[in-house]
Amino acid sequence: MDDLKNFCCQNKNCPKHGVRGEENIRVRARYGTKNTRLLYCTYCKETFSERRGTVFFNSSLPDDTIVSIHEHVAEGNGMRQCC
């Protein structure tokens, strides 16, 4: 089962916008070569990518590169050093 407690609705007109852990987010589908999840708010019926609202939205980077970037930034290093 997908862990969706860290996601929130991205629709600014939704009363649940920005509120995490409300259990109103579901997986509607998966798309793309990376099998990215298309999420769905059961409250306002809006769909959005799991990467929407992040710096990796519309990114063509492989997932392992994204994880590497996160690890390097968390260690205080720049992104150029990891890729």
Side-chain angles (χ1 to χ4, degrees), residues 4-10 14-25:
L4 300 172
K5 67 181 179 184
N6 293 321
F7 290 97
C8 59
C9 183
Q10 297 292 310
C14 179
K16 303 288 185 180
H17 170 73
V19 181
R20 299 179 197 281
E22 290 288 314
E23 298 183 2
N24 61 314
I25 304 297

Side-chain angles (χ1 to χ4, degrees), residues 15-46:
K16 303 288 185 180
H17 170 73
V19 181
R20 299 179 197 281
E22 290 288 314
E23 298 183 2
N24 61 314
I25 304 297
R26 302 283 183 262
V27 176
R28 169 158 274 181
R30 293 184 181 265
Y31 68 95
T33 58
K34 293 181 234 167
N35 213 17
T36 304
R37 294 179 293 188
L38 183 65
L39 303 178
Y40 170 75
C41 175
T42 58
Y43 196 83
C44 71
K45 313 297 188 229
E46 185 77 20

